[in-house]
Amino acid sequence: MRTLTAVVTVALLSASPALAVDLTFWHYWDGTNGQALQKLIDQYQKAHPGVNIKAEFVPGGELQTKLQTAITGHRTPSMAIADLTNMPALVRSGALVPLDPYMAKSKVNLGDYFQGPLVYGKYQGGQYSLPVSASNLALFYNKDLFRQAGLDPNKPPRTWEELEQVAKTIQAKTGKQGFELFTQGGEGTSWQWQVFLWGAGGDVLNKQNTAAAFNSPAGVKALQYWVDLVNKDKVSNVAPWGQFGRGDAAMVMDGSWMTQFFPEQIDFELGSAPFPSPKGMPPATNMGGEQVFIFKGDPATQQAAWDFINWFSSTPVQIQWDRMTGFMPVKKSVANAPSYRNWVKNTRPLLQPFVDSMAFAHPRPPVPEYAQLSDRLAQAIQEAVTGRAKPADALNRAAQDVNRLLK
């Protein structure tokens, strides 16, 4: 299973001077995404006789553990993908191939990539992975409720102040919840709140990623905004997730993947827009996605894996990939390509605000301790929103714990 060795036969040698190379590719893309990957692999193999790529699906909840086990047992695949939040541990494992020499030889233009996702593959001056898919967060809103409240359904809120006012108006006129927040804790709460933190001008950690920075005035402002939405304005509530999808809330922050799933689930007219930011502040959003990387093996296998990744990452293939899967572009040349933009306009118009938001998407801290950090931050958010602590106190206590975690 580990990189599969180059297999040379007398018959093949007589037919072609090239070596036959078998590659294994671990991933967790299922359904339409898995089918799209296999279609592209088939396309690549047809154009590159002698290269055999076996794509092996591993459930998303199991892939990171399987990768770590494979690294420990020295039985890694040729290449794999991983959620970007798992990359800090993987790049520190010593099992990944630095991509810099390959990228230099292939003249890869890293400047064409949106810069946020690239940080997850950086370690000690090297680049160990490349983004191959992305997602982010933006605003979804119920146009029917906007109309019932006497609001223009084509004018979603652009600022926090407008979001608050629109939520109040809709709640007063329709009785529906104004804005749904994810308050159940864990990464869902932390991931959403970080958008507010960045929007207010703050950050999660300091620039060196060595200490908490979320307990700043900007952090307090962002958390106080959540507290006010729930406790002062009462346009949001602490309740199980799903009010927006049932038509019981007018607005929600959710991911780009929901441009595909919401239309299948709802019975109202749906709108999407970049997520509002405080008046006078630049917009912000969070990002998700996957990165692809190569495990150390024999030089021929590493080169063959890189050749596939280089092809898979090219702009024409990424346009195919994003159109087949609905993933967000990881490269500016894809986001700006007329063929891609026309496809979004004509086929998936709800996606356009998400595509535009990639330019200001922030990466979550690329540290191995991110999962614990996120849980502790979410606890602080819940303490403040439920009135068990003031925002500043909750964030300061969480910062002390996070600082100990990062030491």
Side-chain angles (χ1 to χ4, degrees):
M1 291 254 309
R2 176 185 165 80
T3 301
L4 307 173
T5 53
V7 178
V8 183
T9 66
V10 174
L12 184 57
L13 280 172
S14 63
S16 167
L19 296 176
V21 181
D22 293 342
L23 304 172
T24 47
F25 185 6
W26 289 4
H27 68 93
Y28 57 62
W29 288 315
D30 58 2
T32 300
N33 299 339
Q35 293 168 13
L37 175 64
Q38 190 57 55
K39 186 175 181 180
L40 289 177
I41 287 175
D42 292 345
Q43 185 178 328
Y44 183 80
Q45 291 179 144
K46 187 176 181 180
H48 299 81
V51 179
N52 303 302
I53 302 174
K54 183 180 180 182
E56 295 188 11
F57 170 78
V58 180
E62 301 174 14
L63 180 58
Q64 185 66 6
T65 300
K66 186 168 181 175
L67 286 173
Q68 295 291 2
T69 302
I71 291 170
T72 302
H74 303 287
R75 296 179 61 83
T76 53
S78 313
M79 53 188 170
I81 58 119
D83 185 278
L84 48 73
T85 59
N86 291 325
M87 289 312 304
L90 288 167
V91 300
R92 288 164 173 77
S93 69
L96 274 55
V97 174
L99 301 181
D100 305 83
Y102 297 100
M103 293 191 298
K105 190 174 180 180
S106 300
K107 299 181 179 179
V108 171
N109 177 18
L110 287 181
D112 187 28
Y113 282 83
F114 291 111
Q115 295 302 294
L118 286 174
V119 303
Y120 293 99
K122 294 183 185 296
Y123 182 58
Q124 294 184 338
Q127 188 77 37
Y128 289 83
S129 66
L130 286 175
V132 287
S133 66
S135 58
N136 60 32
L137 298 171
L139 183 75
F140 286 103
Y141 64 102
N142 183 328
K143 290 190 173 184
D144 291 349
L145 288 178
F146 270 58
R147 291 190 185 92
Q148 291 174 30
L151 299 171
D152 187 339
N154 295 314
K155 289 187 177 179
R158 296 167 299 176
T159 66
W160 285 9
E161 295 77 9
E162 291 178 2
L163 174 69
E164 182 182 354
Q165 187 56 52
V166 167
K168 287 180 179 176
T169 300
I170 290 178
Q171 193 152 315
K173 297 288 183 64
T174 70
K176 301 290 187 180
Q177 202 72 41
F179 176 60
E180 182 176 21
L181 289 170
F182 191 95
T183 56
Q184 282 67 63
E187 171 65 358
T189 292
S190 175
W191 198 36
Q192 278 199 356
W193 183 76
Q194 288 170 35
V195 176
F196 291 80
L197 172 65
W198 290 316
D203 211 339
V204 181
L205 299 180
N206 62 9
K207 290 183 179 179
Q208 297 75 33
N209 290 321
T210 55
F214 54 74
N215 57 329
S216 61
V220 174
K221 178 180 179 179
L223 188 48
Q224 186 64 55
Y225 186 75
W226 274 44
V227 169
D228 288 347
L229 289 175
V230 174
N231 299 289
K232 179 183 173 185
D233 303 323
K234 300 186 186 304
V235 294
S236 301
N237 57 6
V238 177
W241 185 245
Q243 296 172 87
F244 179 80
R246 296 192 299 272
D248 294 330
M251 298 177 286
V252 71
M253 175 195 287
D254 213 327
S256 47
W257 57 90
M258 294 306 293
T259 60
Q260 177 181 355
F261 298 119
F262 267 146
E264 299 172 353
Q265 302 169 358
I266 62 174
D267 58 358
F268 54 81
E269 188 178 358
L270 186 65
S272 64
F275 197 76
S277 57
K279 188 176 181 179
M281 297 294 288
T285 190
N286 213 327
M287 69 173 71
E290 286 85 29
Q291 310 250 319
V292 66
F293 46 89
I294 302 170
F295 281 104
K296 291 179 179 176
D298 65 84
T301 302
Q302 290 183 185
Q303 182 64 55
W306 167 254
D307 289 343
F308 173 73
I309 290 173
N310 190 36
W311 175 85
F312 187 40
S313 302
S314 66
T315 295
V317 177
Q318 282 290 296
I319 290 173
Q320 288 186 65
W321 174 240
D322 289 341
R323 289 177 56 164
M324 287 191 287
T325 60
F327 284 138
M328 303 294 298
V330 297
K331 301 173 79 171
K332 299 168 192 171
S333 57
V334 175
N336 295 324
S339 62
Y340 177 73
R341 296 189 72 85
N342 286 336
W343 173 79
V344 171
K345 179 180 179 181
N346 298 323
T347 307
R348 197 77 68 81
L350 290 168
L351 198 60
Q352 189 61 57
F354 294 89
V355 176
D356 296 339
S357 297
M358 280 302 295
F360 45 80
H362 292 250
R364 287 164 280 179
V367 295
E369 301 85 359
Y370 176 75
Q372 301 100 302
L373 178 164
S374 175
D375 279 345
R376 184 62 186 90
L377 182 55
Q379 290 173 17
I381 296 165
Q382 288 181 305
E383 289 170 5
V385 168
T386 57
R388 289 178 283 150
K390 294 181 178 178
D393 295 339
L395 292 176
N396 283 331
R397 285 197 292 271
Q400 292 173 7
D401 291 342
V402 167
N403 289 340
R404 282 193 287 271
L405 185 67
L406 295 175
K407 282 185 179 178

